Amino acid sequence: EQIANLFTLNQNDRFANQIALYQLARLNSLLALQDPTAEQQQQFQNAIANGINSAEQAISLDPTEPRHHAVLGSIYSVLATAGVEGSRERAETALARARELDPRNPEHTLLEAQLHARLGEIDVAREKALEAVRLKRNYTDALYFSSQLEIAAGNTPAAIEATQAMVSLEPQNAARYYQLGVLHTAEQNIDEAIVAFERAVSI
């Protein structure tokens, strides 16, 4: 509400972008509900309309800012997951535009990977995630996403390898060691799991 009030006072593209990001968070939260009420379904519809409108306002105010196209693409990615017709194409167009404006930023490529994963296209998602890592070798978000894809596919050894790469890049991140310990436990690598968990606790 405060951001909306600021935008009313000052038609700034950054404020519009922040409103769109808030609505995106609302969409993801509501989409995760198992049995949404009629009120929550209406909130979902409102978040769609407000999110798209805000993202498009941000784009109209500054069409050269890649973040505006990225948030619009992210909103349409959620809608594609929900099966809304035409959303996939709109998501791909917006994310491609973000990447075109900022080709060295791996975040846009990771967003594309997440879109394909949402649609069940795991092989494409995996390749996009690796492409993001090639753009930025220490991009831990992409490495983490890659490991989650491998876990979902039952490729735990590959997930361990990806997580070990993250640990080397973030040696003070306790969550990464915890994740590594869980993966080793799944593979019955008990000694390695203990080392990872102890490191997580010490951090």
Side-chain angles (χ1 to χ4, degrees):
E1 184 177 347
Q2 291 178 9
I3 298 170
N5 289 337
L6 287 171
F7 184 72
T8 301
L9 296 172
N10 180 5
Q11 300 290 302
N12 188 301
D13 62 292
R14 289 175 296 171
F15 295 153
N17 181 276
Q18 287 297 312
I19 295 170
L21 286 170
Y22 169 76
Q23 298 298 342
L24 174 61
R26 289 282 293 153
L27 284 173
N28 281 313
S29 176
L30 291 165
L31 190 64
L33 297 174
Q34 294 295 323
D35 296 303
T37 63
E39 181 182 357
Q40 290 167 334
Q41 291 175 5
Q42 185 58 52
Q43 290 174 354
F44 186 80
Q45 294 297 324
N46 292 340
I48 292 172
N50 293 334
I52 292 174
N53 181 60
S54 297
E56 288 180 341
Q57 280 185 307
I59 291 171
S60 69
L61 290 166
D62 185 358
T64 65
E65 174 53 63
R67 289 176 297 178
H68 303 340
H69 297 277
V71 70
L72 180 62
S74 297
I75 292 170
Y76 277 121
S77 293
V78 174
L79 300 185
T81 305
V84 177
E85 185 177 354
S87 295
R88 175 191 178 131
E89 292 77 11
R90 291 185 175 92
E92 290 176 335
T93 298
L95 294 176
R97 179 57 177 157
R99 188 155 45 85
E100 179 184 347
L101 290 167
D102 192 10
R104 301 301 301 169
N105 189 337
E107 293 180 18
H108 309 315
T109 306
L110 180 58
L111 287 173
E112 290 177 322
Q114 292 168 343
L115 169 61
H116 288 290
R118 287 174 182 267
L119 298 173
E121 300 167 355
I122 303 303
D123 289 342
V124 180
R126 184 183 289 112
E127 179 54 38
K128 285 288 184 180
L130 292 175
E131 183 182 340
V133 173
R134 286 192 291 268
L135 287 170
K136 183 180 179 182
R137 298 193 65 83
N138 64 344
Y139 189 28
T140 52
D141 285 349
L143 288 168
Y144 178 75
F145 180 74
S146 294
S147 72
Q148 295 302 301
L149 289 177
E150 301 305 338
I151 293 170
N155 302 326
T156 309
I160 289 175
E161 183 178 349
T163 305
Q164 285 174 329
M166 284 188 290
V167 166
S168 67
L169 293 169
E170 293 185 322
Q172 296 303 313
N173 189 329
R176 302 306 190 203
Y177 284 99
Y178 173 78
Q179 181 192 13
L180 185 60
V182 171
L183 291 168
H184 276 307
T185 301
E187 286 291 287
Q188 296 299 307
N189 303 330
I190 303 305
D191 291 341
E192 291 90 339
I194 290 172
V195 171
F197 285 134
E198 286 181 341
R199 180 62 178 152
V201 172
S202 69
I203 294 172

